[in-house]
Amino acid sequence: MNNKEMQPMKVSFIGLGNMGLPMAQNLLKAGYEVVIFNRTPEKAEPLIKQGARYVQTPLEAAKESNLVITMLSDDAALREIVEGPNGVLNGLSENGIHVSASTISVDLARKLSALHAERHQHFVSATVMGRPDAAKAATLRIILAGPEHARQRVLPMLTVLSQEIFEIGDHGEEGNIVKIGVNFLIASMLESLSEAQLMVEKHGIKPSRYMDVVNALFQSPVYQNYGAIMTEQRFEPAGFKMKLGLKDVALAIEAAKSVQAPLPLGQLIHQHLSEGITHGYGELDWAALIRCLEHSS
């Protein structure tokens, strides 16, 4: 049986924030029947107009399709949606699949794998890399991990959302470990780029001219995009909020501690992001880290 024959054409999507909404829209455009749930029902209205069907609980969403994608902000939100009495765990039947696209802790991913397995369900981690514009354009990159047969069942659906998929392993938490590591590298880049921009600017050099050199040398869309956000001070609307960046750095520190791996830079970035949130930057794009450094300099 090939992937096309295995492709489920009905999917439930839970979490319609900056990333989840365009992802669900792309599934609709690709011909999927999409059932949706969001803790703030008003956010579902654009999708309802486009043909999605809204249900009242995560349990109903899981029962409707037996294939659920969750795109939620943190561990607490995901636990509430999955483990509650009206949660996904109680709605999925045998061989149902929960695809988590969120950046969550390694411990929670491992726990959810076990909870689903106890009920003969499957947990698949499909964490996404990219900002809301990439989600809208269906050019995300996806880090995929979980039982092989479950991965194969969801691959066609994930292909609709992405330009590239990295299959990591047979255990869901492996995907979350990789995603946490990637986000830590981005946070580290933001820290070093913020420090460098401030240094050259205090020497009288325009940050935009400095970024011309950086972009020529590194030729990285990550440096290019975040460098432009910093130099142009485009921190609103946030593509990825600073408070979520702090959460992800904390996840990296936690993951490193659990295996006695050194992560000294993580502590520094955590401190600067915490200071930024104290100054009221929590809802700004996490590229506003440069403002945190301005306060500390």
Side-chain angles (χ1 to χ4, degrees):
M1 187 179 290
N2 61 36
N3 278 345
K4 198 171 218 179
E5 292 171 312
M6 293 165 61
Q7 181 173 356
M9 293 303 290
K10 188 174 187 180
V11 59
S12 296
F13 204 106
I14 298 176
L16 304 174
N18 289 343
M19 297 292 289
L21 180 63
M23 290 168 67
Q25 287 174 325
N26 284 329
L27 290 171
L28 280 169
K29 290 176 187 175
Y32 283 82
E33 181 182 349
V34 180
V35 177
I36 52 176
F37 172 79
N38 197 69
R39 290 177 297 175
T40 308
E42 295 76 24
K43 290 187 178 180
E45 290 176 3
L47 284 167
I48 294 170
K49 291 177 182 177
Q50 293 166 24
R53 189 160 63 83
Y54 188 82
V55 293
Q56 298 300 317
T57 66
L59 183 146
E60 291 178 71
K63 282 185 174 180
E64 282 283 342
S65 67
N66 217 31
L67 170 59
V68 178
I69 303 177
T70 54
M71 187 64 189
L72 299 161
S73 58
D74 55 27
D75 282 24
L78 186 57
R79 282 196 303 266
E80 177 186 339
I81 289 296
V82 175
E83 298 180 47
N86 287 314
V88 170
L89 266 175
N90 290 328
L92 288 177
S93 62
E94 188 170 331
N95 287 320
I97 301 177
H98 170 202
V99 179
S100 171
S102 312
T103 304
I104 58 172
S105 70
V106 177
D107 284 347
L108 180 58
R110 188 175 287 119
K111 178 185 177 184
L112 291 179
S113 292
L115 286 173
H116 283 294
E118 286 172 6
R119 300 180 182 225
H120 305 287
Q121 304 164 358
H122 309 293
F123 176 79
V124 174
S125 176
T127 54
V128 298
M129 296 184 290
R131 290 164 67 87
D133 55 345
K136 185 175 181 180
T139 56
L140 294 166
R141 288 182 166 87
I142 294 177
I143 300 169
L144 181 62
E148 184 178 3
H149 57 286
R151 296 200 316 264
Q152 295 306 312
R153 282 175 60 189
V154 302
L155 263 175
M157 175 187 67
L158 297 177
T159 300
V160 167
L161 305 174
S162 63
Q163 61 174 309
E164 192 170 13
I165 297 173
F166 301 91
E167 292 194 63
I168 301 301
D170 296 331
H171 305 283
E173 65 268 19
E174 294 173 330
N176 292 93
I177 292 166
V178 172
K179 178 62 190 304
I180 288 168
V182 168
N183 278 15
F184 177 69
L185 281 181
I186 297 174
S188 302
M189 179 277 298
L190 292 175
E191 173 73 28
S192 59
L193 187 55
S194 295
E195 292 181 16
Q197 276 203 16
L198 285 172
M199 179 188 69
V200 299
E201 187 175 15
K202 288 189 175 185
H203 278 280
I205 299 165
K206 288 184 178 180
S208 59
R209 295 300 296 148
Y210 171 67
M211 286 309 305
D212 288 341
V213 178
V214 171
N215 290 329
L217 178 63
F218 289 100
Q219 298 184 358
S220 163
V222 178
Y223 274 91
Q224 185 175 8
N225 292 340
Y226 279 111
I229 291 171
M230 287 180 181
T231 57
E232 297 166 18
Q233 302 280 297
R234 288 189 285 107
F235 304 130
E236 295 180 280
F240 188 70
K241 294 179 181 179
M242 186 178 291
K243 65 181 184 181
L244 295 179
L246 178 65
K247 180 263 295 185
D248 285 0
V249 171
L251 290 179
I253 293 170
E254 176 187 325
K257 282 182 178 178
S258 70
V259 290
Q260 291 80 51
L263 207 72
L265 184 55
Q267 300 290 345
L268 178 65
I269 300 168
H270 191 278
Q271 175 190 333
H272 288 158
L273 291 173
S274 297
E275 290 170 356
I277 290 171
T278 299
H279 284 99
Y281 302 153
E283 298 295 317
L284 300 183
D285 196 282
W286 68 331
L289 174 64
I290 192 169
R291 287 191 177 173
C292 311
L293 295 178
E294 288 172 339
H295 283 293
S296 64
S297 60

